Amino acid sequence: MSELSDMIRKMFKEGDDIRDAGLITPEDIKRFDDIAYGSDKEWQVLDVYRPKNAEGKLPVIISVHGGGWVYGDKERYQFYCMSLAQRGFAVVNFTYRLAPEFKFPSSLEDTNLVAEFVMKNAEEYGFDTENIFAVGDSAGAHLLGLYSGFLTNKEYANKYEFKAPEGFSLKAVALNCGVSRITSDDKESQDFQLMKELLPGGATDEEIENISVVNFITHDYPATFVMTADGDFLKDKQLPLVAKLMECNVPNVFRYYYVPGDQPLGHVFHCNMKLDEAARCNDEECNFFKSFIR
């Protein structure tokens, strides 16, 4: 652990504790907890949530949590993910290995292991593997953005030793309040310091280019819902992503959320189950996904 990651973990935890205070598992959700998807039983674990009244196979949402690459786990995302399940999905909520203890591409490899889990356990948990979607926010949006490139860009996939599971694909993704273009312009910025913690070489120029999502988007990239809000400190980071999606003719929707005359909606506001605007955003993302179900 470093001084920076320690500070972020403490600060983010305090905010999440306040956000989720008093929340409980909804009565209409069936949950399967603490399932190992890899050999590391501390980091490589996941939950599956389904609507109790749903039988048979359901379309799937995989959630890739945020936390500045150094914080977060499935517990912090359980209420958000269960709310997605209430909208008619089987939701996979997983913990992955974090920096600085684990360097990139550990988190990407873990995401791929979760994809393998979905394909191998479709019968047991009722996963419709013809209709798989994914959501990611903040650092999780960055990670999901890279994984979407890994799945659809052979040149990028060949940079890694692991391979995508056979038959796995994402029909559509939601990239929420994320970062798609990493730069080394300001080496004193907190973002760049986090890159030094994430990347094994200390954030060389080559490493930075290798984790910039926009570099690996092609016309085969999954349909994408991009979201930010007026109080999101990363709101200006969405424009290069939307521009690249349009350039590559990738179906996409861009949403900028705000409440006129009210408090600004902050970074990853959609994870706060106590906000009406979170429900609106999550409804719109799930409806976007449903529009691709055939």
Side-chain angles (χ1 to χ4, degrees), residues 16 19-20 49 63-67 71-83 91 93-94 136-138 140 268 270-271:
D16 287 350
R19 181 195 69 191
D20 293 342
Y49 313 127
S63 171
V64 187
H65 75 72
Y71 166 83
D73 55 34
K74 63 184 181 66
E75 276 64 44
R76 293 294 165 182
Y77 279 70
Q78 59 180 315
F79 301 111
Y80 163 63
C81 286
M82 286 188 287
S83 80
V91 179
N93 171 28
F94 71 104
D137 64 278
S138 197
V268 302
H270 68 299
C271 293

Side-chain angles (χ1 to χ4, degrees), residues 51-278:
K52 270 185 182 175
N53 63 356
E55 296 182 4
K57 293 187 176 183
L58 292 174
V60 182
I61 295 177
I62 298 171
S63 171
V64 187
H65 75 72
W69 302 278
V70 300
Y71 166 83
D73 55 34
K74 63 184 181 66
E75 276 64 44
R76 293 294 165 182
Y77 279 70
Q78 59 180 315
F79 301 111
Y80 163 63
C81 286
M82 286 188 287
S83 80
L84 299 181
Q86 288 177 308
R87 291 166 166 86
F89 295 85
V91 179
V92 180
N93 171 28
F94 71 104
T95 296
Y96 57 84
R97 289 172 290 173
L98 298 172
E101 291 87 348
F102 299 94
K103 302 296 185 182
F104 189 83
S106 296
S107 52
L108 194 69
E109 184 176 15
D110 288 353
T111 305
N112 194 57
L113 287 173
V114 171
E116 289 184 6
F117 171 89
V118 169
M119 299 304 288
K120 290 177 181 177
N121 294 276
E123 289 299 323
E124 182 171 358
Y125 296 104
F127 298 143
D128 177 1
T129 56
E130 296 298 314
N131 290 291
I132 302 175
F133 306 93
V135 295
D137 64 278
S138 197
H142 171 252
L143 178 56
L144 175 56
L146 286 180
Y147 189 63
S148 298
F150 170 84
L151 291 173
T152 55
N153 184 326
K154 287 185 178 180
E155 183 179 350
Y156 186 56
N158 287 338
K159 294 177 181 288
Y160 299 97
E161 294 181 0
F162 49 91
K163 302 298 180 185
E166 186 175 348
F168 182 88
S169 66
L170 293 170
K171 276 205 165 176
V173 298
L175 304 180
N176 300 312
C177 305
V179 178
S180 60
R181 178 82 176 107
I182 308 292
T183 70
S184 55
D185 295 344
D186 182 3
K187 289 186 165 56
E188 299 304 315
S189 69
Q190 180 172 288
D191 282 351
F192 189 76
Q193 295 306 309
L194 284 168
M195 290 301 98
K196 289 171 67 175
E197 303 216 345
L198 175 68
L199 298 167
T204 65
D205 289 344
E206 182 180 358
E207 285 181 318
I208 292 294
E209 288 301 306
N210 196 51
I211 62 160
S212 289
V213 173
V214 294
N215 290 348
F216 308 106
I217 294 174
T218 68
H219 69 279
D220 293 321
Y221 204 78
T224 305
F225 189 111
V226 182
M227 181 277 282
T228 187
D230 56 340
D232 177 17
F233 62 88
L234 294 179
K235 63 184 178 182
D236 62 329
K237 304 294 185 182
Q238 313 313 313
L239 299 179
L241 172 61
V242 174
K244 185 66 175 182
L245 292 169
M246 293 175 66
E247 177 188 327
C248 294
N249 203 29
V250 175
N252 69 91
V253 167
F254 175 58
R255 287 284 188 269
Y256 180 81
Y257 291 93
Y258 70 100
V259 181
D262 209 337
Q263 290 290 326
L265 292 170
H267 185 62
V268 302
F269 73 92
H270 68 299
C271 293
N272 186 343
M273 295 299 94
K274 300 168 185 175
L275 290 179
D276 290 341
E277 286 302 308

Side-chain angles (χ1 to χ4, degrees), residues 35-52:
I35 306 161
Y37 68 84
S39 58
D40 189 323
K41 294 183 179 180
E42 177 183 0
W43 293 91
Q44 295 172 324
V45 289
L46 59 79
D47 296 347
V48 176
Y49 313 127
R50 289 175 54 96
K52 270 185 182 175

